Amino acid sequence: MAKAVLRRAVAGKSLVVGALLALLVPATAYANTVSVTVKTPGATSGPAGTFAEISTHADCSSGLISGGGINQAIGTGTSSNGNKVNGTSPSPDGSTEYLGSTGVVGTDVTHWLGIGGSGGAVNASFSSTPYAMCFTSNLINHTQVVMNKVAGPISASTVGLVTATCPANTRLIGGGARITPADVGSLKPIASFPTFNNAGHDYGQKAAADGETNPDSWTAVGWNGGGGGTDNVTYAYAICSGNNIDISGTTVKVRFNEVSGPTSATAGATVTAACGGNDGKLISGGAAISGGSVTTTDFTGPGSPGDHLNGSFPSNSGGTPVGDGTTTAAYWTASTHTGGGSSPSTYSEAWALCANDGI
């Protein structure tokens, strides 16, 4: 009998020790398997004429796009005002665009377009360089593109805002923006950013703020500087994880930065957002030129009708674009520019999306 009691006592102590160990030992940490390689073919010259555009593309030989970007060379002098971003958007083959019916328009896309446009002035320095963010993950091995569009803007100094939202139980990993047609020289996308389809973000009119996690939507904003164009359209693209993937352990964190300017005529500004050490890997980003406070108030246009974007791209900490094949990019830079007039109360914004797939 005494031995039986002793055995029970020893067993009881073992259970207590085991329970204590369970409290002391932290939960298993799972490695982040997200990896991104930046691909870019370099610059394509043009447009050489006014009220025109050129289409360039960057392609993933392996992986899937989680987003992409564009950077432009604009030259100097007043003619530099004429180069503008017309689109930064996904493509199924490097030339075809998703401009038709809205909804899920593509799956497992591997090409990114950088589309440069011109207004009423050009110079020989104009060029556009596209960037594809080639994404791999042991968990998110399929993606889908959701497109939404809105007619306009048609009137001068007005915005056309449209939001694309990922399907339920999927994760937003990037997005893009586009305007058409090219021959309306004052028309351009002035914002492309992550957001949420909820009341707190006014269903896409307020951008995701620094430190927010798991946005589900992407907003594009068109801006018509001089007015005109009855067939103007603004397009938003959301890059989302594929269906039937368990995203419960994944986190996409937003990093955001806003600076004042540019406010003088024929002037530019840059702003950079960064993925920190615990945020995960940079997978995509966004850019805007605006009236400011874009994360707390509905989006408003900048101070001048000629304001536009000249870049939204992966970069180093100083805002210099990264090179082809880079696997360690952690920063996203927006490049903004005014037109021929001063632009009071104007701000520039950049977003970086940082991902951890949690496995």
Side-chain angles (χ1 to χ4, degrees), residues 192-247:
S192 177
F193 56 78
T195 185
F196 295 80
N197 184 30
N198 62 24
H201 295 78
D202 203 1
Y203 303 98
Q205 296 194 72
K206 297 177 185 177
D210 186 61
E212 290 195 291
T213 58
N214 299 334
D216 61 8
S217 302
W218 198 271
T219 288
V221 180
W223 180 246
N224 197 348
T230 58
D231 298 321
N232 299 347
V233 181
T234 302
Y235 305 81
Y237 302 90
I239 315 299
C240 317
S241 62
N243 294 324
N244 303 314
I245 296 174
D246 181 4
I247 59 167

Short mmCIF file of all heavy atoms in Angstrom, two decimals, residues 192-247:
data_model
loop_
_atom_site.label_atom_id
_atom_site.label_comp_id
_atom_site.label_asym_id
_atom_site.label_seq_id
_atom_site.Cartn_x
_atom_site.Cartn_y
_atom_site.Cartn_z
N SER A 192 -2.66 55.47 -55.14
CA SER A 192 -2.81 54.02 -55.23
C SER A 192 -2.38 53.47 -53.88
O SER A 192 -1.19 53.51 -53.54
CB SER A 192 -1.92 53.48 -56.37
OG SER A 192 -1.97 52.08 -56.47
N PHE A 193 -3.35 52.99 -53.06
CA PHE A 193 -3.01 52.69 -51.67
C PHE A 193 -3.88 51.58 -51.07
O PHE A 193 -5.01 51.36 -51.50
CB PHE A 193 -3.10 53.94 -50.80
CG PHE A 193 -4.44 54.65 -50.82
CD1 PHE A 193 -5.53 54.18 -50.10
CD2 PHE A 193 -4.59 55.83 -51.54
CE1 PHE A 193 -6.74 54.86 -50.08
CE2 PHE A 193 -5.80 56.52 -51.55
CZ PHE A 193 -6.88 56.03 -50.81
N PRO A 194 -3.35 50.92 -50.01
CA PRO A 194 -4.14 49.89 -49.30
C PRO A 194 -5.17 50.55 -48.39
O PRO A 194 -4.96 51.65 -47.87
CB PRO A 194 -3.07 49.16 -48.48
CG PRO A 194 -2.01 50.18 -48.24
CD PRO A 194 -1.99 51.04 -49.49
N THR A 195 -6.28 49.85 -48.18
CA THR A 195 -7.36 50.38 -47.35
C THR A 195 -8.23 49.23 -46.87
O THR A 195 -7.90 48.06 -47.04
CB THR A 195 -8.17 51.43 -48.12
OG1 THR A 195 -9.15 52.02 -47.25
CG2 THR A 195 -8.86 50.82 -49.34
N PHE A 196 -9.35 49.58 -46.26
CA PHE A 196 -10.28 48.59 -45.72
C PHE A 196 -11.69 48.89 -46.23
O PHE A 196 -12.09 50.06 -46.29
CB PHE A 196 -10.30 48.62 -44.19
CG PHE A 196 -9.01 48.22 -43.53
CD1 PHE A 196 -7.96 49.12 -43.43
CD2 PHE A 196 -8.85 46.95 -42.99
CE1 PHE A 196 -6.78 48.77 -42.81
CE2 PHE A 196 -7.67 46.59 -42.36
CZ PHE A 196 -6.63 47.50 -42.27
N ASN A 197 -12.42 47.86 -46.53
CA ASN A 197 -13.82 48.00 -46.93
C ASN A 197 -14.69 47.98 -45.68
O ASN A 197 -15.46 47.07 -45.44
CB ASN A 197 -14.21 46.88 -47.89
CG ASN A 197 -15.62 47.04 -48.42
OD1 ASN A 197 -16.12 48.15 -48.56
ND2 ASN A 197 -16.29 45.92 -48.70
N ASN A 198 -14.54 49.04 -44.86
CA ASN A 198 -15.35 49.13 -43.64
C ASN A 198 -15.68 50.59 -43.36
O ASN A 198 -15.15 51.51 -43.98
CB ASN A 198 -14.63 48.49 -42.45
CG ASN A 198 -13.31 49.16 -42.09
OD1 ASN A 198 -13.09 50.33 -42.39
ND2 ASN A 198 -12.42 48.42 -41.44
N ALA A 199 -16.57 50.80 -42.38
CA ALA A 199 -17.03 52.15 -42.08
C ALA A 199 -15.91 53.02 -41.54
O ALA A 199 -15.87 54.23 -41.80
CB ALA A 199 -18.18 52.09 -41.08
N GLY A 200 -14.98 52.42 -40.78
CA GLY A 200 -13.90 53.19 -40.20
C GLY A 200 -13.01 53.84 -41.25
O GLY A 200 -12.37 54.87 -40.97
N HIS A 201 -12.93 53.24 -42.43
CA HIS A 201 -12.13 53.79 -43.52
C HIS A 201 -13.02 54.33 -44.64
O HIS A 201 -12.56 54.54 -45.76
CB HIS A 201 -11.17 52.73 -44.06
CG HIS A 201 -10.13 52.31 -43.06
ND1 HIS A 201 -10.42 51.43 -42.04
CD2 HIS A 201 -8.83 52.66 -42.92
CE1 HIS A 201 -9.32 51.24 -41.31
NE2 HIS A 201 -8.35 51.98 -41.81
N ASP A 202 -14.28 54.56 -44.28
CA ASP A 202 -15.28 55.08 -45.22
C ASP A 202 -15.25 54.29 -46.53
O ASP A 202 -15.32 54.86 -47.62
CB ASP A 202 -15.10 56.57 -45.47
CG ASP A 202 -16.39 57.24 -45.96
OD1 ASP A 202 -17.42 56.53 -46.08
OD2 ASP A 202 -16.36 58.46 -46.23
N TYR A 203 -15.14 52.98 -46.36
CA TYR A 203 -15.22 52.03 -47.49
C TYR A 203 -14.23 52.38 -48.61
O TYR A 203 -14.59 52.39 -49.79
CB TYR A 203 -16.66 51.95 -47.98
CG TYR A 203 -17.59 51.55 -46.87
CD1 TYR A 203 -18.32 52.51 -46.17
CD2 TYR A 203 -17.68 50.23 -46.45
CE1 TYR A 203 -19.14 52.15 -45.11
CE2 TYR A 203 -18.48 49.86 -45.38
CZ TYR A 203 -19.21 50.82 -44.71
OH TYR A 203 -20.00 50.45 -43.64
N GLY A 204 -13.00 52.66 -48.18
CA GLY A 204 -11.92 52.88 -49.14
C GLY A 204 -11.53 54.31 -49.36
O GLY A 204 -10.51 54.58 -50.00
N GLN A 205 -12.31 55.28 -48.84
CA GLN A 205 -11.97 56.68 -49.06
C GLN A 205 -10.88 57.17 -48.12
O GLN A 205 -10.23 58.18 -48.39
CB GLN A 205 -13.21 57.56 -48.93
CG GLN A 205 -14.27 57.26 -49.99
CD GLN A 205 -15.33 58.33 -50.06
OE1 GLN A 205 -15.09 59.44 -50.54
NE2 GLN A 205 -16.52 58.01 -49.58
N LYS A 206 -10.68 56.47 -46.99
CA LYS A 206 -9.55 56.74 -46.10
C LYS A 206 -8.54 55.61 -46.26
O LYS A 206 -8.91 54.43 -46.29
CB LYS A 206 -10.01 56.80 -44.65
CG LYS A 206 -10.99 57.92 -44.34
CD LYS A 206 -11.44 57.85 -42.89
CE LYS A 206 -12.51 58.88 -42.60
NZ LYS A 206 -13.00 58.77 -41.20
N ALA A 207 -7.28 55.96 -46.33
CA ALA A 207 -6.22 54.98 -46.54
C ALA A 207 -5.87 54.26 -45.24
O ALA A 207 -6.14 54.75 -44.14
CB ALA A 207 -4.98 55.66 -47.10
N ALA A 208 -5.27 53.08 -45.38
CA ALA A 208 -4.74 52.35 -44.23
C ALA A 208 -3.63 53.17 -43.59
O ALA A 208 -2.79 53.77 -44.27
CB ALA A 208 -4.22 51.00 -44.66
N ALA A 209 -3.61 53.18 -42.26
CA ALA A 209 -2.64 53.98 -41.51
C ALA A 209 -1.44 53.15 -41.10
O ALA A 209 -1.47 51.90 -41.14
CB ALA A 209 -3.32 54.57 -40.27
N ASP A 210 -0.40 53.82 -40.66
CA ASP A 210 0.81 53.16 -40.22
C ASP A 210 0.51 52.21 -39.06
O ASP A 210 -0.14 52.59 -38.07
CB ASP A 210 1.84 54.20 -39.78
CG ASP A 210 3.18 53.58 -39.43
OD1 ASP A 210 3.79 52.97 -40.32
OD2 ASP A 210 3.61 53.69 -38.27
N GLY A 211 0.96 50.97 -39.19
CA GLY A 211 0.79 49.98 -38.13
C GLY A 211 -0.47 49.15 -38.23
O GLY A 211 -0.60 48.15 -37.50
N GLU A 212 -1.41 49.53 -39.10
CA GLU A 212 -2.62 48.70 -39.25
C GLU A 212 -2.25 47.39 -39.93
O GLU A 212 -1.28 47.30 -40.69
CB GLU A 212 -3.69 49.45 -40.04
CG GLU A 212 -4.29 50.61 -39.29
CD GLU A 212 -5.57 51.12 -39.91
OE1 GLU A 212 -5.50 51.72 -41.02
OE2 GLU A 212 -6.65 50.94 -39.31
N THR A 213 -3.06 46.36 -39.66
CA THR A 213 -2.76 45.04 -40.21
C THR A 213 -3.93 44.51 -41.04
O THR A 213 -5.09 44.82 -40.80
CB THR A 213 -2.46 44.03 -39.09
OG1 THR A 213 -3.57 43.95 -38.19
CG2 THR A 213 -1.20 44.43 -38.32
N ASN A 214 -3.56 43.73 -42.02
CA ASN A 214 -4.48 42.98 -42.87
C ASN A 214 -5.55 43.83 -43.53
O ASN A 214 -6.76 43.56 -43.41
CB ASN A 214 -5.12 41.84 -42.07
CG ASN A 214 -4.09 40.85 -41.56
OD1 ASN A 214 -3.02 40.71 -42.14
ND2 ASN A 214 -4.41 40.16 -40.48
N PRO A 215 -5.15 44.87 -44.28
CA PRO A 215 -6.14 45.56 -45.11
C PRO A 215 -6.72 44.59 -46.13
O PRO A 215 -6.07 43.61 -46.50
CB PRO A 215 -5.31 46.66 -45.79
CG PRO A 215 -3.90 46.14 -45.79
CD PRO A 215 -3.78 45.34 -44.53
N ASP A 216 -7.94 44.87 -46.58
CA ASP A 216 -8.60 43.93 -47.50
C ASP A 216 -8.91 44.53 -48.86
O ASP A 216 -9.52 43.88 -49.71
CB ASP A 216 -9.88 43.39 -46.87
CG ASP A 216 -10.92 44.47 -46.56
OD1 ASP A 216 -10.73 45.64 -46.97
OD2 ASP A 216 -11.92 44.14 -45.89
N SER A 217 -8.48 45.79 -49.09
CA SER A 217 -8.89 46.49 -50.31
C SER A 217 -7.77 47.39 -50.81
O SER A 217 -6.83 47.72 -50.07
CB SER A 217 -10.13 47.34 -50.05
OG SER A 217 -11.20 46.55 -49.58
N TRP A 218 -7.91 47.80 -52.08
CA TRP A 218 -6.96 48.73 -52.69
C TRP A 218 -7.74 49.83 -53.40
O TRP A 218 -8.68 49.55 -54.14
CB TRP A 218 -6.06 48.02 -53.68
CG TRP A 218 -4.82 48.80 -54.01
CD1 TRP A 218 -4.66 49.74 -54.99
CD2 TRP A 218 -3.56 48.72 -53.32
NE1 TRP A 218 -3.40 50.24 -54.96
CE2 TRP A 218 -2.69 49.63 -53.96
CE3 TRP A 218 -3.09 47.95 -52.25
CZ2 TRP A 218 -1.37 49.80 -53.55
CZ3 TRP A 218 -1.78 48.12 -51.85
CH2 TRP A 218 -0.93 49.03 -52.49
N THR A 219 -7.35 51.09 -53.15
CA THR A 219 -8.02 52.24 -53.75
C THR A 219 -7.12 52.92 -54.77
O THR A 219 -5.91 53.06 -54.55
CB THR A 219 -8.43 53.24 -52.66
OG1 THR A 219 -9.53 52.70 -51.91
CG2 THR A 219 -8.87 54.58 -53.25
N ALA A 220 -7.72 53.34 -55.88
CA ALA A 220 -7.04 54.18 -56.87
C ALA A 220 -7.82 55.48 -56.99
O ALA A 220 -9.05 55.49 -56.91
CB ALA A 220 -6.99 53.47 -58.23
N VAL A 221 -7.09 56.57 -57.20
CA VAL A 221 -7.71 57.88 -57.35
C VAL A 221 -7.25 58.52 -58.65
O VAL A 221 -6.05 58.72 -58.86
CB VAL A 221 -7.37 58.81 -56.16
CG1 VAL A 221 -8.04 60.18 -56.36
CG2 VAL A 221 -7.80 58.19 -54.84
N GLY A 222 -8.20 58.83 -59.52
CA GLY A 222 -7.91 59.56 -60.74
C GLY A 222 -8.09 61.05 -60.50
O GLY A 222 -8.93 61.48 -59.69
N TRP A 223 -7.31 61.88 -61.20
CA TRP A 223 -7.33 63.34 -61.04
C TRP A 223 -7.33 63.97 -62.42
O TRP A 223 -6.48 63.64 -63.25
CB TRP A 223 -6.10 63.77 -60.25
CG TRP A 223 -5.88 65.22 -59.96
CD1 TRP A 223 -4.85 65.98 -60.46
CD2 TRP A 223 -6.61 66.07 -59.07
NE1 TRP A 223 -4.90 67.26 -59.93
CE2 TRP A 223 -5.97 67.35 -59.07
CE3 TRP A 223 -7.74 65.89 -58.29
CZ2 TRP A 223 -6.44 68.41 -58.31
CZ3 TRP A 223 -8.21 66.96 -57.53
CH2 TRP A 223 -7.56 68.19 -57.54
N ASN A 224 -8.29 64.84 -62.68
CA ASN A 224 -8.39 65.50 -63.98
C ASN A 224 -7.98 66.94 -63.79
O ASN A 224 -8.72 67.75 -63.24
CB ASN A 224 -9.81 65.40 -64.52
CG ASN A 224 -9.87 65.70 -66.01
OD1 ASN A 224 -8.92 66.19 -66.60
ND2 ASN A 224 -11.00 65.41 -66.62
N GLY A 225 -6.77 67.25 -64.26
CA GLY A 225 -6.24 68.59 -64.03
C GLY A 225 -6.96 69.67 -64.80
O GLY A 225 -7.50 70.59 -64.21
N GLY A 226 -7.02 69.54 -66.12
CA GLY A 226 -7.59 70.60 -66.93
C GLY A 226 -9.03 70.38 -67.35
O GLY A 226 -9.60 71.21 -68.05
N GLY A 227 -9.60 69.25 -66.97
CA GLY A 227 -10.96 68.97 -67.40
C GLY A 227 -10.99 68.36 -68.79
O GLY A 227 -9.98 68.26 -69.47
N GLY A 228 -12.15 67.95 -69.20
CA GLY A 228 -12.32 67.37 -70.52
C GLY A 228 -12.23 65.86 -70.49
O GLY A 228 -11.77 65.25 -69.53
N GLY A 229 -12.70 65.26 -71.59
CA GLY A 229 -12.70 63.82 -71.72
C GLY A 229 -13.97 63.20 -71.18
O GLY A 229 -14.16 63.08 -69.97
N THR A 230 -14.85 62.82 -72.07
CA THR A 230 -16.15 62.27 -71.63
C THR A 230 -16.09 60.77 -71.38
O THR A 230 -17.03 60.20 -70.82
CB THR A 230 -17.23 62.56 -72.68
OG1 THR A 230 -16.83 61.98 -73.93
CG2 THR A 230 -17.44 64.05 -72.84
N ASP A 231 -15.01 60.11 -71.78
CA ASP A 231 -14.89 58.67 -71.62
C ASP A 231 -13.83 58.29 -70.57
O ASP A 231 -13.34 57.16 -70.56
CB ASP A 231 -14.53 58.01 -72.96
CG ASP A 231 -15.60 58.21 -74.01
OD1 ASP A 231 -16.79 58.15 -73.65
OD2 ASP A 231 -15.25 58.46 -75.18
N ASN A 232 -13.49 59.21 -69.69
CA ASN A 232 -12.45 58.95 -68.70
C ASN A 232 -12.88 57.84 -67.74
O ASN A 232 -14.04 57.79 -67.30
CB ASN A 232 -12.16 60.21 -67.88
CG ASN A 232 -11.67 61.36 -68.74
OD1 ASN A 232 -11.32 61.16 -69.90
ND2 ASN A 232 -11.62 62.55 -68.16
N VAL A 233 -11.93 56.96 -67.40
CA VAL A 233 -12.19 55.86 -66.46
C VAL A 233 -10.98 55.71 -65.54
O VAL A 233 -9.83 55.83 -65.98
CB VAL A 233 -12.44 54.52 -67.21
CG1 VAL A 233 -12.72 53.40 -66.21
CG2 VAL A 233 -13.59 54.66 -68.20
N THR A 234 -11.25 55.45 -64.26
CA THR A 234 -10.21 55.14 -63.27
C THR A 234 -10.39 53.70 -62.81
O THR A 234 -11.51 53.28 -62.51
CB THR A 234 -10.30 56.10 -62.07
OG1 THR A 234 -10.19 57.45 -62.53
CG2 THR A 234 -9.22 55.81 -61.05
N TYR A 235 -9.28 52.96 -62.74
CA TYR A 235 -9.30 51.54 -62.40
C TYR A 235 -8.48 51.28 -61.13
O TYR A 235 -7.39 51.84 -60.98
CB TYR A 235 -8.69 50.69 -63.53
CG TYR A 235 -9.31 50.89 -64.89
CD1 TYR A 235 -8.95 51.98 -65.68
CD2 TYR A 235 -10.25 49.99 -65.39
CE1 TYR A 235 -9.51 52.16 -66.94
CE2 TYR A 235 -10.81 50.17 -66.65
CZ TYR A 235 -10.44 51.26 -67.42
OH TYR A 235 -10.99 51.44 -68.66
N ALA A 236 -8.98 50.41 -60.27
CA ALA A 236 -8.24 49.95 -59.10
C ALA A 236 -8.06 48.44 -59.20
O ALA A 236 -8.97 47.72 -59.63
CB ALA A 236 -8.98 50.29 -57.81
N TYR A 237 -6.88 47.96 -58.78
CA TYR A 237 -6.55 46.54 -58.81
C TYR A 237 -6.10 46.09 -57.42
O TYR A 237 -5.22 46.72 -56.82
CB TYR A 237 -5.42 46.26 -59.81
CG TYR A 237 -5.75 46.70 -61.21
CD1 TYR A 237 -5.44 47.98 -61.65
CD2 TYR A 237 -6.38 45.83 -62.11
CE1 TYR A 237 -5.74 48.40 -62.93
CE2 TYR A 237 -6.69 46.24 -63.39
CZ TYR A 237 -6.38 47.52 -63.80
OH TYR A 237 -6.69 47.94 -65.08
N ALA A 238 -6.69 45.03 -56.92
CA ALA A 238 -6.26 44.41 -55.67
C ALA A 238 -5.64 43.06 -55.99
O ALA A 238 -6.25 42.25 -56.70
CB ALA A 238 -7.43 44.24 -54.71
N ILE A 239 -4.42 42.83 -55.51
CA ILE A 239 -3.77 41.53 -55.64
C ILE A 239 -4.02 40.77 -54.33
O ILE A 239 -3.64 41.25 -53.26
CB ILE A 239 -2.25 41.66 -55.88
CG1 ILE A 239 -1.97 42.74 -56.95
CG2 ILE A 239 -1.66 40.31 -56.28
CD1 ILE A 239 -2.55 42.46 -58.29
N CYS A 240 -4.67 39.61 -54.42
CA CYS A 240 -5.13 38.88 -53.24
C CYS A 240 -4.61 37.45 -53.26
O CYS A 240 -4.29 36.91 -54.33
CB CYS A 240 -6.66 38.84 -53.20
SG CYS A 240 -7.47 40.41 -53.61
N SER A 241 -4.54 36.83 -52.09
CA SER A 241 -4.20 35.41 -52.05
C SER A 241 -5.30 34.60 -52.73
O SER A 241 -6.44 35.06 -52.87
CB SER A 241 -4.03 34.96 -50.60
OG SER A 241 -5.24 35.13 -49.87
N GLY A 242 -4.95 33.40 -53.16
CA GLY A 242 -5.92 32.55 -53.83
C GLY A 242 -6.98 32.01 -52.87
O GLY A 242 -6.84 32.10 -51.64
N ASN A 243 -8.02 31.45 -53.42
CA ASN A 243 -9.08 30.85 -52.61
C ASN A 243 -8.60 29.56 -51.95
O ASN A 243 -7.64 28.93 -52.40
CB ASN A 243 -10.31 30.57 -53.47
CG ASN A 243 -10.94 31.84 -53.99
OD1 ASN A 243 -10.98 32.86 -53.31
ND2 ASN A 243 -11.46 31.80 -55.23
N ASN A 244 -9.28 29.20 -50.86
CA ASN A 244 -9.04 27.93 -50.16
C ASN A 244 -7.63 27.82 -49.58
O ASN A 244 -7.06 26.72 -49.52
CB ASN A 244 -9.32 26.74 -51.10
CG ASN A 244 -10.73 26.77 -51.66
OD1 ASN A 244 -11.69 27.00 -50.93
ND2 ASN A 244 -10.86 26.56 -52.97
N ILE A 245 -7.07 28.95 -49.18
CA ILE A 245 -5.79 28.97 -48.46
C ILE A 245 -6.06 29.45 -47.05
O ILE A 245 -6.74 30.47 -46.85
CB ILE A 245 -4.77 29.90 -49.16
CG1 ILE A 245 -4.43 29.38 -50.55
CG2 ILE A 245 -3.50 30.04 -48.33
CD1 ILE A 245 -3.55 30.32 -51.36
N ASP A 246 -5.56 28.75 -46.05
CA ASP A 246 -5.77 29.12 -44.66
C ASP A 246 -4.87 30.31 -44.32
O ASP A 246 -3.67 30.16 -44.09
CB ASP A 246 -5.47 27.94 -43.74
CG ASP A 246 -5.70 28.28 -42.26
OD1 ASP A 246 -6.18 29.40 -41.97
OD2 ASP A 246 -5.40 27.43 -41.40
N ILE A 247 -5.46 31.51 -44.26
CA ILE A 247 -4.68 32.72 -44.02
C ILE A 247 -4.72 33.14 -42.55
O ILE A 247 -4.24 34.22 -42.20
CB ILE A 247 -5.20 33.88 -44.90
CG1 ILE A 247 -6.68 34.14 -44.60
CG2 ILE A 247 -4.96 33.59 -46.37
CD1 ILE A 247 -7.19 35.46 -45.16
#
